[in-house]
Amino acid sequence: MRLQNFTKGLWTELPVLRVLLGFCPTLAVTNRAENGLVMGLATTFVLFFSCTLISIFKKLIPHRIRIPIFIVVIASFVTIVDYLLAAYYWEMHKVLGIYIPLIVVNCLILGRVEAFASKNPVGDSMLDALGMGVGFTLVLVVLGSIRELFGFGTIFSHQVIGKPYEPMVLMIIPPGALLSLGLLLGLMNLIRDRMEGRR
Amino acid sequence: MREIIALSLALAFVCLLSAFSLSFVYQHSKPLIERNREGELREAVEKVLPGAKVEYAPLTSGRVFEALNSSSNLIALYKGEKDGREVYAALISVKGYQGAIRMLIGFDPGASEILGVEILEHAETPGLGSRIEGESFLSQFKGKLKPKYDTITGATISSSAVIRGFVNAMRAVMGGER
């Protein structure tokens, strides 16, 4: 097991911002930091268990039908998350609603399963899935915080900007998602270029 | 041919395992999910019919039911009792800006009085259309049926959808008694 499999998900192969995967949930649910956090954790759950299971049974999975099998496994874990959220976290289940079933088609998950878990040892696959999940969650929380800050004046529902501030509705509707994601991507590229330039 | 059968069997086996584990989780979470859904409804009914004793079995007949069912998209109707009077809570669905708005209206048809309105579920624009949930908008519905209600600036479609749904339903119920 190499720790690098975990840390690469946090920087060099950071989902969304470095490896441009998983845009749909990123754009859809990040109007509040809390929504981003729960979406990120739900995705991490699905990613971790799918990768672990598939890595364990990788030798038994017939190569020609591996994609349908991956999708069945991923969809099962997504449905489990959906039931558990509805049972234990009803309010959040109402907010995320349709976006939970859509984790099935988050290409980040199928991408990790196909490109990593089905070819690497179990321990490495678990680390890889955790790293990617944590990285994805971080991005969603950062983006959610930015949008919530400007759109509601709060972060995690705590008042940050005082009363006279008129919230920018633009930031909580879809155009705000595209704008802030674009600016964040540009910022990341700037940071990367600076770091590489100094080396 | 043989390979097709082998592959199909492998896939069927995986699906079978998946179905088993899902039914296990479903069995476990179903009562909790139903309790959540019912708790949410009860909370809303208590808000629109404060202090009433409500039976939570939905009505399927009666004059009020017929009037609402023919005039609006009625999902469920509950009957309760408050100070010896018959009161009702109607769950209706109206088409909003981005999907269905489910709203609950509490009313007393005998006195032609509306006791309260709550929005249970909607998919309106956050920050704009979502203001239909606000107390300042919903409190105007209390009391006698009025000829005109105020919409919300910046949320005209969402707020007029709620007003239209409300007025249609209440005219049907109370119109005959005026």
Side-chain angles (χ1 to χ4, degrees), chain A residues 31 62 64-65 68-69 72-73 76 79-80 83-84 86-88 90 94 152 169 172-173, chain B residues 3 7 10-11 14-15 18 22 25-26 28-29 32-33 36-37 40 120 125-128:
Chain A
N31 52 6
R64 289 175 64 184
I65 52 163
I69 288 179
V72 170
V73 170
S76 305
T79 314
I80 290 173
Y83 286 157
L84 292 182
Y88 294 105
W90 176 253
K94 267 179 70 184
F152 294 99
V169 174
I172 24 181
I173 55 181
Chain B
E3 203 194 352
L7 291 179
L11 199 53
V14 171
C15 290
S18 155
L22 284 185
V25 178
Y26 182 68
H28 168 78
S29 55
L32 287 166
I33 295 172
N36 285 340
R37 197 160 280 156
E40 182 184 73
L120 270 178
T125 318
L128 290 173

Side-chain angles (χ1 to χ4, degrees), chain A:
Chain A
M1 283 209 283
R2 286 185 309 156
L3 198 63
Q4 196 223 333
N5 284 321
F6 177 76
T7 52
K8 72 174 191 288
L10 304 181
W11 185 249
T12 50
E13 289 180 31
L14 183 67
V16 184
L17 295 181
R18 297 299 289 275
V19 178
L20 305 183
L21 287 178
F23 271 43
C24 162
T26 306
L27 293 168
V29 304
T30 53
N31 52 6
R32 277 180 184 274
E34 194 189 2
N35 300 358
L37 179 67
V38 175
M39 186 65 180
L41 292 179
T43 310
T44 307
F45 176 92
V46 174
L47 192 60
F48 180 73
F49 284 102
S50 307
C51 284
T52 309
L53 199 69
I54 283 162
S55 190
I56 292 173
F57 293 108
K58 59 180 174 293
K59 294 223 169 70
L60 292 174
I61 298 172
H63 185 72
R64 289 175 64 184
I65 52 163
R66 65 187 193 287
I67 301 284
I69 288 179
F70 294 166
I71 292 289
V72 170
V73 170
I74 295 168
S76 305
F77 282 115
V78 169
T79 314
I80 290 173
V81 170
D82 195 28
Y83 286 157
L84 292 182
L85 267 183
Y88 294 105
Y89 201 174
W90 176 253
E91 286 306 308
M92 191 45 73
H93 185 264
K94 267 179 70 184
V95 172
L96 294 180
I98 180 71
Y99 297 110
I100 290 293
L102 282 178
I103 298 177
V104 178
V105 289
N106 188 334
C107 41
L108 178 70
I109 297 174
L110 189 62
R112 288 336 286 172
V113 168
E114 163 75 0
F116 200 92
S118 60
K119 291 171 187 146
N120 286 284
V122 181
D124 287 325
S125 302
M126 288 161 95
L127 283 178
D128 174 75
L130 274 185
M132 289 293 162
V134 171
F136 185 65
T137 308
L138 277 177
V139 173
L140 291 199
V141 170
V142 168
L143 196 60
S145 302
I146 295 172
R147 291 178 63 195
E148 188 179 339
L149 177 66
F150 290 109
F152 294 99
T154 60
I155 288 181
F156 280 106
S157 303
H158 293 295
Q159 198 77 38
V160 177
I161 310 181
K163 268 276 170 265
Y165 173 71
E166 180 67 33
M168 280 169 73
V169 174
L170 172 75
M171 289 301 275
I172 24 181
I173 55 181
L178 290 163
L179 280 174
S180 23
L181 183 60
L183 290 173
L184 205 57
L185 267 172
L187 185 70
M188 281 298 286
N189 286 348
L190 200 70
I191 294 172
R192 189 200 55 201
D193 289 350
R194 278 277 167 85
M195 284 176 69
E196 282 171 2
R198 267 179 207 165
R199 260 182 222 147

